Short mmCIF file of all heavy atoms in Angstrom, two decimals:
data_model
loop_
_atom_site.label_atom_id
_atom_site.label_comp_id
_atom_site.label_asym_id
_atom_site.label_seq_id
_atom_site.Cartn_x
_atom_site.Cartn_y
_atom_site.Cartn_z
N MET A 3 135.65 31.57 80.83
CA MET A 3 134.97 32.14 81.96
C MET A 3 135.30 31.33 83.20
O MET A 3 135.39 30.12 83.15
CB MET A 3 133.47 32.11 81.71
CG MET A 3 132.93 33.45 81.96
SD MET A 3 131.34 33.91 81.37
CE MET A 3 130.20 32.71 81.68
N SER A 4 135.44 31.98 84.29
CA SER A 4 135.77 31.29 85.52
C SER A 4 134.50 31.03 86.32
O SER A 4 133.51 31.74 86.22
CB SER A 4 136.76 32.11 86.35
OG SER A 4 136.15 33.32 86.70
N THR A 5 134.55 30.03 87.14
CA THR A 5 133.42 29.68 87.98
C THR A 5 133.50 30.48 89.27
O THR A 5 134.57 30.93 89.67
CB THR A 5 133.43 28.17 88.31
OG1 THR A 5 134.63 27.88 88.99
CG2 THR A 5 133.31 27.35 87.04
N PRO A 6 132.37 30.68 89.98
CA PRO A 6 132.41 31.44 91.24
C PRO A 6 133.25 30.78 92.32
O PRO A 6 133.73 31.44 93.21
CB PRO A 6 130.95 31.49 91.67
CG PRO A 6 130.15 31.20 90.46
CD PRO A 6 131.04 30.39 89.56
N GLU A 7 133.45 29.46 92.24
CA GLU A 7 134.25 28.78 93.25
C GLU A 7 135.73 29.15 93.16
O GLU A 7 136.46 29.05 94.13
CB GLU A 7 134.11 27.26 93.12
CG GLU A 7 132.75 26.72 93.48
CD GLU A 7 131.78 26.83 92.31
OE1 GLU A 7 132.21 26.84 91.16
OE2 GLU A 7 130.57 26.94 92.59
N SER A 8 136.19 29.60 91.99
CA SER A 8 137.61 29.91 91.85
C SER A 8 137.96 31.26 92.46
O SER A 8 139.11 31.54 92.70
CB SER A 8 138.01 29.89 90.37
OG SER A 8 137.31 30.91 89.68
N HIS A 9 136.97 32.12 92.71
CA HIS A 9 137.21 33.41 93.34
C HIS A 9 136.54 33.44 94.71
O HIS A 9 135.33 33.54 94.81
CB HIS A 9 136.62 34.55 92.48
CG HIS A 9 137.22 34.64 91.12
ND1 HIS A 9 138.52 35.05 90.92
CD2 HIS A 9 136.71 34.35 89.91
CE1 HIS A 9 138.77 35.04 89.63
NE2 HIS A 9 137.69 34.60 88.99
N PRO A 10 137.33 33.37 95.77
CA PRO A 10 136.72 33.35 97.10
C PRO A 10 135.98 34.64 97.45
O PRO A 10 135.07 34.64 98.25
CB PRO A 10 137.90 33.12 98.04
CG PRO A 10 139.12 33.35 97.26
CD PRO A 10 138.78 33.28 95.82
N THR A 11 136.33 35.76 96.86
CA THR A 11 135.64 36.99 97.18
C THR A 11 134.24 37.05 96.57
O THR A 11 133.36 37.70 97.09
CB THR A 11 136.45 38.21 96.70
OG1 THR A 11 136.67 38.09 95.30
CG2 THR A 11 137.77 38.30 97.44
N ASN A 12 134.02 36.34 95.47
CA ASN A 12 132.72 36.35 94.82
C ASN A 12 131.71 35.46 95.54
O ASN A 12 130.52 35.60 95.31
CB ASN A 12 132.84 35.89 93.37
CG ASN A 12 133.44 36.98 92.50
OD1 ASN A 12 133.52 38.12 92.92
ND2 ASN A 12 133.87 36.61 91.31
N SER A 13 132.16 34.55 96.37
CA SER A 13 131.22 33.64 97.02
C SER A 13 130.38 34.35 98.09
O SER A 13 129.28 33.92 98.38
CB SER A 13 131.96 32.46 97.63
OG SER A 13 132.83 32.94 98.64
N THR A 14 130.88 35.45 98.65
CA THR A 14 130.12 36.14 99.67
C THR A 14 129.35 37.34 99.12
O THR A 14 128.43 37.81 99.74
CB THR A 14 131.05 36.64 100.79
OG1 THR A 14 132.03 37.50 100.22
CG2 THR A 14 131.71 35.48 101.50
N ALA A 15 129.72 37.84 97.95
CA ALA A 15 129.04 39.00 97.37
C ALA A 15 127.78 38.54 96.66
O ALA A 15 127.79 37.55 95.93
CB ALA A 15 129.96 39.70 96.39
N PRO A 16 126.67 39.24 96.86
CA PRO A 16 125.44 38.87 96.17
C PRO A 16 125.51 39.23 94.69
O PRO A 16 126.20 40.16 94.29
CB PRO A 16 124.37 39.69 96.88
CG PRO A 16 125.08 40.84 97.46
CD PRO A 16 126.47 40.36 97.77
N ASP A 17 124.81 38.48 93.91
CA ASP A 17 124.76 38.72 92.47
C ASP A 17 123.87 39.93 92.22
O ASP A 17 122.70 39.93 92.60
CB ASP A 17 124.20 37.48 91.77
CG ASP A 17 124.23 37.60 90.27
OD1 ASP A 17 124.87 38.56 89.77
OD2 ASP A 17 123.63 36.76 89.59
N PRO A 18 124.36 40.99 91.58
CA PRO A 18 123.52 42.19 91.39
C PRO A 18 122.36 41.95 90.44
O PRO A 18 121.37 42.67 90.49
CB PRO A 18 124.50 43.22 90.82
CG PRO A 18 125.64 42.45 90.30
CD PRO A 18 125.69 41.17 91.09
N ALA A 19 122.44 40.96 89.59
CA ALA A 19 121.35 40.68 88.64
C ALA A 19 120.22 39.89 89.31
O ALA A 19 119.11 39.84 88.79
CB ALA A 19 121.88 39.89 87.45
N PHE A 20 120.51 39.28 90.45
CA PHE A 20 119.50 38.48 91.15
C PHE A 20 118.67 39.37 92.07
O PHE A 20 119.19 40.09 92.90
CB PHE A 20 120.19 37.39 91.97
CG PHE A 20 119.23 36.57 92.78
CD1 PHE A 20 118.41 35.65 92.17
CD2 PHE A 20 119.12 36.75 94.14
CE1 PHE A 20 117.51 34.90 92.91
CE2 PHE A 20 118.22 36.01 94.90
CZ PHE A 20 117.42 35.09 94.26
N VAL A 21 117.36 39.34 91.89
CA VAL A 21 116.45 40.09 92.73
C VAL A 21 115.55 39.09 93.44
O VAL A 21 114.85 38.31 92.80
CB VAL A 21 115.60 41.08 91.90
CG1 VAL A 21 114.60 41.80 92.78
CG2 VAL A 21 116.49 42.05 91.17
N ALA A 22 115.59 39.11 94.76
CA ALA A 22 114.78 38.18 95.53
C ALA A 22 113.33 38.64 95.50
O ALA A 22 113.02 39.79 95.80
CB ALA A 22 115.27 38.11 96.97
N ARG A 23 112.44 37.75 95.14
CA ARG A 23 111.01 38.04 95.10
C ARG A 23 110.26 37.01 95.91
O ARG A 23 110.65 35.85 95.98
CB ARG A 23 110.49 38.00 93.66
CG ARG A 23 111.04 39.11 92.82
CD ARG A 23 110.40 39.11 91.47
NE ARG A 23 110.97 40.18 90.67
CZ ARG A 23 111.02 40.19 89.37
NH1 ARG A 23 110.52 39.18 88.70
NH2 ARG A 23 111.54 41.20 88.73
N ALA A 24 109.20 37.47 96.51
CA ALA A 24 108.36 36.55 97.27
C ALA A 24 107.67 35.60 96.30
O ALA A 24 107.23 36.02 95.23
CB ALA A 24 107.33 37.32 98.07
N PRO A 25 107.60 34.33 96.66
CA PRO A 25 106.95 33.39 95.75
C PRO A 25 105.46 33.70 95.63
O PRO A 25 104.80 34.04 96.61
CB PRO A 25 107.19 32.03 96.39
CG PRO A 25 107.46 32.33 97.83
CD PRO A 25 108.09 33.70 97.86
N SER A 26 104.97 33.62 94.43
CA SER A 26 103.56 33.87 94.18
C SER A 26 102.77 32.59 94.42
O SER A 26 103.16 31.51 93.99
CB SER A 26 103.38 34.33 92.74
OG SER A 26 102.05 34.33 92.38
N TYR A 27 101.64 32.72 95.14
CA TYR A 27 100.82 31.55 95.43
C TYR A 27 99.42 31.81 94.91
O TYR A 27 98.78 32.79 95.27
CB TYR A 27 100.77 31.30 96.94
CG TYR A 27 99.95 30.10 97.31
CD1 TYR A 27 100.43 28.82 97.10
CD2 TYR A 27 98.68 30.25 97.84
CE1 TYR A 27 99.67 27.72 97.42
CE2 TYR A 27 97.92 29.16 98.18
CZ TYR A 27 98.43 27.89 97.96
OH TYR A 27 97.67 26.80 98.27
N ASN A 28 98.95 30.96 94.03
CA ASN A 28 97.62 31.10 93.47
C ASN A 28 96.77 29.91 93.90
O ASN A 28 97.14 28.76 93.68
CB ASN A 28 97.67 31.16 91.95
CG ASN A 28 98.33 32.42 91.45
OD1 ASN A 28 98.18 33.46 92.06
ND2 ASN A 28 99.06 32.32 90.36
N ASP A 29 95.63 30.23 94.52
CA ASP A 29 94.71 29.18 94.93
C ASP A 29 93.87 28.74 93.74
O ASP A 29 93.67 29.48 92.78
CB ASP A 29 93.77 29.70 96.01
CG ASP A 29 94.41 29.73 97.37
OD1 ASP A 29 95.37 28.99 97.58
OD2 ASP A 29 93.95 30.50 98.21
N CYS A 30 93.32 27.55 93.86
CA CYS A 30 92.40 27.08 92.84
C CYS A 30 91.06 27.80 93.02
O CYS A 30 90.81 28.45 94.04
CB CYS A 30 92.22 25.57 92.94
SG CYS A 30 91.50 25.01 94.49
N LEU A 31 90.20 27.71 92.04
CA LEU A 31 88.92 28.41 92.07
C LEU A 31 88.07 27.93 93.24
O LEU A 31 87.41 28.73 93.91
CB LEU A 31 88.18 28.21 90.75
CG LEU A 31 86.84 28.92 90.63
CD1 LEU A 31 87.03 30.42 90.74
CD2 LEU A 31 86.18 28.55 89.33
N THR A 32 88.08 26.63 93.51
CA THR A 32 87.28 26.09 94.61
C THR A 32 87.75 26.66 95.95
O THR A 32 86.91 27.01 96.80
CB THR A 32 87.39 24.55 94.63
OG1 THR A 32 87.04 24.06 93.35
CG2 THR A 32 86.48 23.96 95.67
N CYS A 33 89.04 26.77 96.15
CA CYS A 33 89.57 27.33 97.40
C CYS A 33 89.17 28.79 97.56
O CYS A 33 88.84 29.24 98.66
CB CYS A 33 91.08 27.20 97.44
SG CYS A 33 91.66 25.50 97.45
N ARG A 34 89.19 29.54 96.47
CA ARG A 34 88.79 30.94 96.54
C ARG A 34 87.31 31.07 96.87
O ARG A 34 86.91 31.94 97.65
CB ARG A 34 89.07 31.65 95.23
CG ARG A 34 90.52 31.94 95.03
CD ARG A 34 90.72 32.72 93.78
NE ARG A 34 92.12 32.99 93.59
CZ ARG A 34 92.59 33.97 92.86
NH1 ARG A 34 91.77 34.77 92.24
NH2 ARG A 34 93.88 34.15 92.75
N ILE A 35 86.48 30.25 96.25
CA ILE A 35 85.04 30.31 96.50
C ILE A 35 84.73 29.97 97.95
O ILE A 35 83.98 30.68 98.63
CB ILE A 35 84.28 29.38 95.54
CG1 ILE A 35 84.36 29.93 94.11
CG2 ILE A 35 82.83 29.20 95.97
CD1 ILE A 35 83.83 28.99 93.06
N ILE A 36 85.32 28.89 98.45
CA ILE A 36 85.05 28.47 99.83
C ILE A 36 85.59 29.49 100.83
O ILE A 36 84.91 29.86 101.79
CB ILE A 36 85.63 27.06 100.09
CG1 ILE A 36 84.84 26.03 99.28
CG2 ILE A 36 85.61 26.72 101.57
CD1 ILE A 36 85.43 24.64 99.31
N GLY A 37 86.80 29.97 100.62
CA GLY A 37 87.39 30.94 101.54
C GLY A 37 86.63 32.26 101.56
O GLY A 37 86.33 32.80 102.62
N SER A 38 86.31 32.77 100.37
CA SER A 38 85.56 34.02 100.30
C SER A 38 84.16 33.86 100.86
O SER A 38 83.64 34.75 101.54
CB SER A 38 85.48 34.50 98.85
OG SER A 38 86.76 34.80 98.37
N GLY A 39 83.54 32.72 100.59
CA GLY A 39 82.20 32.46 101.13
C GLY A 39 82.19 32.38 102.64
O GLY A 39 81.26 32.87 103.29
N ALA A 40 83.22 31.76 103.21
CA ALA A 40 83.30 31.65 104.67
C ALA A 40 83.47 33.02 105.31
O ALA A 40 82.81 33.33 106.31
CB ALA A 40 84.45 30.73 105.06
N PHE A 41 84.34 33.86 104.74
CA PHE A 41 84.50 35.21 105.26
C PHE A 41 83.21 36.02 105.12
O PHE A 41 82.81 36.74 106.03
CB PHE A 41 85.64 35.95 104.55
CG PHE A 41 86.99 35.70 105.14
CD1 PHE A 41 88.00 35.15 104.38
CD2 PHE A 41 87.27 36.06 106.44
CE1 PHE A 41 89.26 34.93 104.91
CE2 PHE A 41 88.52 35.85 107.00
CZ PHE A 41 89.51 35.28 106.21
N ALA A 42 82.54 35.92 103.97
CA ALA A 42 81.32 36.67 103.74
C ALA A 42 80.21 36.22 104.69
O ALA A 42 79.49 37.05 105.25
CB ALA A 42 80.87 36.52 102.29
N ALA A 43 80.08 34.91 104.88
CA ALA A 43 79.03 34.39 105.78
C ALA A 43 79.28 34.85 107.21
O ALA A 43 78.34 35.23 107.92
CB ALA A 43 78.98 32.87 105.70
N THR A 44 80.53 34.84 107.64
CA THR A 44 80.86 35.31 108.99
C THR A 44 80.58 36.80 109.14
O THR A 44 80.07 37.26 110.16
CB THR A 44 82.33 35.00 109.32
OG1 THR A 44 82.57 33.61 109.11
CG2 THR A 44 82.67 35.37 110.75
N GLY A 45 80.91 37.58 108.10
CA GLY A 45 80.64 39.01 108.13
C GLY A 45 79.15 39.32 108.17
O GLY A 45 78.71 40.21 108.92
N ILE A 46 78.36 38.59 107.38
CA ILE A 46 76.91 38.81 107.39
C ILE A 46 76.33 38.42 108.74
O ILE A 46 75.46 39.12 109.28
CB ILE A 46 76.26 38.04 106.23
CG1 ILE A 46 76.67 38.69 104.90
CG2 ILE A 46 74.75 37.99 106.37
CD1 ILE A 46 76.30 37.87 103.68
N TYR A 47 76.80 37.32 109.30
CA TYR A 47 76.33 36.91 110.63
C TYR A 47 76.64 37.98 111.68
O TYR A 47 75.80 38.32 112.51
CB TYR A 47 76.95 35.58 111.03
CG TYR A 47 76.59 35.15 112.43
CD1 TYR A 47 75.34 34.62 112.71
CD2 TYR A 47 77.50 35.30 113.47
CE1 TYR A 47 75.00 34.24 113.99
CE2 TYR A 47 77.17 34.93 114.76
CZ TYR A 47 75.91 34.39 115.01
OH TYR A 47 75.58 34.03 116.29
N ALA A 48 77.86 38.52 111.63
CA ALA A 48 78.23 39.55 112.60
C ALA A 48 77.39 40.80 112.41
O ALA A 48 76.98 41.44 113.39
CB ALA A 48 79.72 39.87 112.46
N LEU A 49 77.08 41.16 111.18
CA LEU A 49 76.24 42.33 110.94
C LEU A 49 74.80 42.09 111.39
O LEU A 49 74.13 43.01 111.84
CB LEU A 49 76.27 42.72 109.46
CG LEU A 49 77.55 43.39 108.99
CD1 LEU A 49 77.48 43.66 107.49
CD2 LEU A 49 77.81 44.68 109.75
N ARG A 50 74.33 40.87 111.30
CA ARG A 50 72.98 40.57 111.78
C ARG A 50 72.89 40.68 113.30
O ARG A 50 71.82 40.91 113.84
CB ARG A 50 72.56 39.18 111.34
CG ARG A 50 72.24 39.13 109.86
CD ARG A 50 71.57 37.86 109.52
NE ARG A 50 70.44 37.68 110.44
CZ ARG A 50 69.28 37.17 110.11
NH1 ARG A 50 69.09 36.79 108.89
NH2 ARG A 50 68.32 37.02 111.00
N MET A 51 74.00 40.51 113.98
CA MET A 51 74.00 40.62 115.44
C MET A 51 73.94 42.07 115.90
O MET A 51 73.82 42.35 117.08
CB MET A 51 75.26 39.97 116.03
CG MET A 51 75.28 38.47 115.90
SD MET A 51 73.97 37.69 116.85
CE MET A 51 72.88 37.13 115.57
N THR A 52 74.00 43.02 114.97
CA THR A 52 73.92 44.43 115.34
C THR A 52 72.48 44.96 115.28
O THR A 52 72.27 46.12 115.55
CB THR A 52 74.79 45.28 114.40
OG1 THR A 52 74.29 45.17 113.05
CG2 THR A 52 76.24 44.85 114.45
N ARG A 53 71.52 44.12 114.94
CA ARG A 53 70.12 44.56 114.89
C ARG A 53 69.66 45.01 116.27
O ARG A 53 70.16 44.55 117.29
CB ARG A 53 69.22 43.42 114.41
CG ARG A 53 69.51 42.98 113.00
CD ARG A 53 68.68 41.79 112.65
NE ARG A 53 69.04 40.71 113.61
CZ ARG A 53 68.26 39.69 113.89
NH1 ARG A 53 67.10 39.56 113.32
NH2 ARG A 53 68.65 38.77 114.75
N SER A 54 68.68 45.85 116.27
CA SER A 54 68.18 46.36 117.56
C SER A 54 67.49 45.27 118.37
O SER A 54 67.45 45.33 119.60
CB SER A 54 67.22 47.53 117.32
OG SER A 54 66.12 47.09 116.55
N SER A 55 66.93 44.25 117.70
CA SER A 55 66.25 43.18 118.44
C SER A 55 67.21 42.10 118.95
O SER A 55 66.81 41.24 119.71
CB SER A 55 65.19 42.53 117.55
OG SER A 55 65.81 41.95 116.41
N ALA A 56 68.47 42.16 118.55
CA ALA A 56 69.45 41.16 119.00
C ALA A 56 69.88 41.49 120.43
O ALA A 56 69.97 42.66 120.81
CB ALA A 56 70.66 41.15 118.08
N PRO A 57 70.15 40.46 121.24
CA PRO A 57 70.57 40.73 122.61
C PRO A 57 71.99 41.29 122.66
O PRO A 57 72.80 41.03 121.77
CB PRO A 57 70.51 39.35 123.27
CG PRO A 57 70.67 38.39 122.15
CD PRO A 57 70.05 39.04 120.95
N GLY A 58 72.28 42.07 123.68
CA GLY A 58 73.63 42.59 123.86
C GLY A 58 73.63 44.09 124.07
O GLY A 58 72.63 44.78 123.85
N SER A 59 74.77 44.58 124.51
CA SER A 59 74.91 46.02 124.78
C SER A 59 75.15 46.78 123.48
O SER A 59 75.51 46.21 122.45
CB SER A 59 76.06 46.26 125.75
OG SER A 59 77.28 45.95 125.12
N ILE A 60 75.02 48.07 123.53
CA ILE A 60 75.23 48.90 122.35
C ILE A 60 76.70 48.88 121.94
O ILE A 60 77.02 48.90 120.75
CB ILE A 60 74.71 50.34 122.60
CG1 ILE A 60 74.52 51.08 121.27
CG2 ILE A 60 75.65 51.14 123.44
CD1 ILE A 60 73.29 50.69 120.56
N ILE A 61 77.61 48.82 122.91
CA ILE A 61 79.05 48.75 122.60
C ILE A 61 79.37 47.42 121.92
O ILE A 61 80.11 47.39 120.93
CB ILE A 61 79.89 48.93 123.88
CG1 ILE A 61 79.61 50.28 124.53
CG2 ILE A 61 81.37 48.77 123.59
CD1 ILE A 61 79.98 51.48 123.69
N GLY A 62 78.80 46.35 122.42
CA GLY A 62 79.02 45.04 121.81
C GLY A 62 78.49 44.97 120.39
O GLY A 62 79.10 44.35 119.52
N LYS A 63 77.37 45.63 120.15
CA LYS A 63 76.81 45.65 118.80
C LYS A 63 77.69 46.46 117.85
O LYS A 63 77.85 46.09 116.68
CB LYS A 63 75.39 46.22 118.84
CG LYS A 63 74.41 45.27 119.50
CD LYS A 63 73.03 45.85 119.51
CE LYS A 63 72.09 44.88 120.21
NZ LYS A 63 70.72 45.33 120.16
N ARG A 64 78.26 47.52 118.34
CA ARG A 64 79.16 48.31 117.49
C ARG A 64 80.43 47.53 117.17
O ARG A 64 80.95 47.61 116.06
CB ARG A 64 79.50 49.63 118.17
CG ARG A 64 78.33 50.57 118.17
CD ARG A 64 78.68 51.90 118.74
NE ARG A 64 77.51 52.76 118.70
CZ ARG A 64 77.42 53.91 119.32
NH1 ARG A 64 78.44 54.34 120.05
NH2 ARG A 64 76.32 54.62 119.22
N ILE A 65 80.92 46.80 118.14
CA ILE A 65 82.10 45.96 117.90
C ILE A 65 81.77 44.89 116.87
O ILE A 65 82.55 44.64 115.94
CB ILE A 65 82.61 45.35 119.23
CG1 ILE A 65 83.20 46.44 120.11
CG2 ILE A 65 83.64 44.25 118.96
CD1 ILE A 65 83.53 45.98 121.51
N MET A 66 80.61 44.26 117.01
CA MET A 66 80.21 43.24 116.04
C MET A 66 80.02 43.84 114.64
O MET A 66 80.34 43.21 113.64
CB MET A 66 78.92 42.56 116.49
CG MET A 66 79.10 41.64 117.67
SD MET A 66 80.28 40.32 117.36
CE MET A 66 79.28 39.24 116.38
N GLY A 67 79.51 45.07 114.57
CA GLY A 67 79.37 45.73 113.28
C GLY A 67 80.72 45.98 112.62
O GLY A 67 80.88 45.76 111.42
N GLY A 68 81.68 46.40 113.41
CA GLY A 68 83.04 46.60 112.89
C GLY A 68 83.67 45.31 112.41
O GLY A 68 84.30 45.26 111.37
N LEU A 69 83.46 44.25 113.20
CA LEU A 69 83.99 42.95 112.80
C LEU A 69 83.30 42.44 111.54
O LEU A 69 83.94 41.84 110.66
CB LEU A 69 83.81 41.93 113.92
CG LEU A 69 84.77 42.04 115.09
CD1 LEU A 69 84.38 41.06 116.19
CD2 LEU A 69 86.18 41.77 114.63
N GLY A 70 82.00 42.68 111.43
CA GLY A 70 81.28 42.27 110.24
C GLY A 70 81.81 42.93 108.98
O GLY A 70 82.01 42.28 107.95
N VAL A 71 82.05 44.22 109.07
CA VAL A 71 82.60 44.95 107.93
C VAL A 71 84.00 44.43 107.61
O VAL A 71 84.35 44.25 106.43
CB VAL A 71 82.60 46.46 108.21
CG1 VAL A 71 83.38 47.22 107.17
CG2 VAL A 71 81.17 46.98 108.29
N CYS A 72 84.80 44.18 108.63
CA CYS A 72 86.16 43.66 108.40
C CYS A 72 86.13 42.30 107.71
O CYS A 72 86.92 42.04 106.80
CB CYS A 72 86.92 43.57 109.72
SG CYS A 72 87.40 45.15 110.39
N PHE A 73 85.21 41.44 108.12
CA PHE A 73 85.11 40.13 107.48
C PHE A 73 84.63 40.25 106.03
O PHE A 73 85.08 39.50 105.16
CB PHE A 73 84.18 39.20 108.26
CG PHE A 73 84.88 38.46 109.36
CD1 PHE A 73 84.64 38.76 110.68
CD2 PHE A 73 85.78 37.46 109.07
CE1 PHE A 73 85.27 38.09 111.70
CE2 PHE A 73 86.43 36.78 110.07
CZ PHE A 73 86.19 37.09 111.39
N LEU A 74 83.74 41.19 105.76
CA LEU A 74 83.30 41.37 104.37
C LEU A 74 84.42 41.93 103.50
O LEU A 74 84.58 41.51 102.35
CB LEU A 74 82.07 42.28 104.33
CG LEU A 74 80.79 41.64 104.85
CD1 LEU A 74 79.67 42.67 104.87
CD2 LEU A 74 80.39 40.43 104.02
N VAL A 75 85.20 42.84 104.03
CA VAL A 75 86.37 43.34 103.30
C VAL A 75 87.37 42.21 103.10
O VAL A 75 87.96 42.06 102.02
CB VAL A 75 87.00 44.54 104.04
CG1 VAL A 75 88.36 44.90 103.46
CG2 VAL A 75 86.07 45.74 103.99
N GLY A 76 87.56 41.37 104.12
CA GLY A 76 88.44 40.21 103.99
C GLY A 76 87.97 39.25 102.93
O GLY A 76 88.77 38.63 102.22
N SER A 77 86.66 39.13 102.78
CA SER A 77 86.11 38.26 101.74
C SER A 77 86.47 38.77 100.36
O SER A 77 86.86 37.99 99.48
CB SER A 77 84.59 38.19 101.89
OG SER A 77 84.00 37.50 100.81
N VAL A 78 86.36 40.07 100.16
CA VAL A 78 86.71 40.65 98.87
C VAL A 78 88.21 40.50 98.61
O VAL A 78 88.63 40.13 97.51
CB VAL A 78 86.29 42.13 98.81
CG1 VAL A 78 86.82 42.82 97.56
CG2 VAL A 78 84.77 42.24 98.87
N LEU A 79 89.02 40.78 99.62
CA LEU A 79 90.47 40.63 99.46
C LEU A 79 90.87 39.19 99.21
O LEU A 79 91.78 38.90 98.43
CB LEU A 79 91.19 41.18 100.68
CG LEU A 79 91.11 42.69 100.87
CD1 LEU A 79 91.79 43.10 102.18
CD2 LEU A 79 91.74 43.41 99.69
N ARG A 80 90.19 38.27 99.87
CA ARG A 80 90.49 36.84 99.68
C ARG A 80 90.18 36.42 98.26
O ARG A 80 90.89 35.62 97.67
CB ARG A 80 89.66 36.02 100.68
CG ARG A 80 89.74 34.54 100.52
CD ARG A 80 91.11 34.04 100.97
NE ARG A 80 91.19 32.63 100.83
CZ ARG A 80 91.77 32.01 99.80
NH1 ARG A 80 92.32 32.72 98.84
NH2 ARG A 80 91.82 30.70 99.75
N TRP A 81 89.12 36.95 97.69
CA TRP A 81 88.75 36.59 96.34
C TRP A 81 89.74 37.17 95.31
O TRP A 81 90.10 36.52 94.35
CB TRP A 81 87.33 37.09 96.03
CG TRP A 81 86.93 36.77 94.64
CD1 TRP A 81 86.89 37.61 93.57
CD2 TRP A 81 86.52 35.48 94.16
NE1 TRP A 81 86.48 36.94 92.46
CE2 TRP A 81 86.24 35.63 92.78
CE3 TRP A 81 86.37 34.25 94.76
CZ2 TRP A 81 85.82 34.57 92.01
CZ3 TRP A 81 85.93 33.19 93.97
CH2 TRP A 81 85.67 33.35 92.62
N ARG A 82 90.20 38.39 95.56
CA ARG A 82 91.04 39.07 94.58
C ARG A 82 92.50 38.66 94.66
O ARG A 82 93.23 38.81 93.70
CB ARG A 82 90.93 40.56 94.75
CG ARG A 82 89.49 41.04 94.60
CD ARG A 82 89.38 42.51 94.55
NE ARG A 82 89.13 42.79 93.14
CZ ARG A 82 89.74 43.75 92.47
NH1 ARG A 82 90.60 44.49 93.05
NH2 ARG A 82 89.46 43.93 91.21
N MET A 83 92.97 38.20 95.81
CA MET A 83 94.41 37.91 95.94
C MET A 83 94.69 36.44 95.98
O MET A 83 94.00 35.59 96.10
CB MET A 83 94.96 38.57 97.19
CG MET A 83 94.91 40.03 97.08
SD MET A 83 95.67 40.79 98.51
CE MET A 83 95.58 42.46 98.05
#
């Protein structure tokens, strides 16, 4: 068998058997708990700012409600991925 260095045309052609994959990164359990908890706490805080007794305009409260939901969804995604 010949080595790839002996054929100059093979050095530029990609290997068809090689498939580039993104490296998988797995966090430890503590990192997942802290990250998910931080997202969840921020989402709950943002949702609490949408109460009728909280100061602010109605548009600002709707924006905070949207952000709260986004942070809670981020918490779930952070835990699962």
Side-chain angles (χ1 to χ4, degrees):
M3 231 164 46
S4 62
T5 61
E7 291 83 27
S8 64
H9 299 290
T11 57
N12 285 346
S13 63
T14 58
D17 185 11
F20 177 74
V21 177
R23 293 186 181 154
S26 168
Y27 181 75
N28 292 325
D29 281 336
C30 62
L31 182 62
T32 307
C33 296
R34 285 184 180 202
I35 291 171
I36 291 172
S38 296
F41 274 121
T44 306
I46 291 169
Y47 175 77
L49 286 177
R50 287 191 52 142
M51 291 295 109
T52 63
R53 296 175 300 158
S54 61
S55 62
S59 68
I60 198 77
I61 300 297
K63 289 181 181 185
R64 288 184 180 168
I65 291 171
M66 288 301 283
L69 284 174
V71 170
C72 288
F73 274 110
L74 288 175
V75 168
S77 173
V78 171
L79 291 176
R80 174 72 179 99
W81 178 257
R82 302 189 104 225
M83 294 184 176

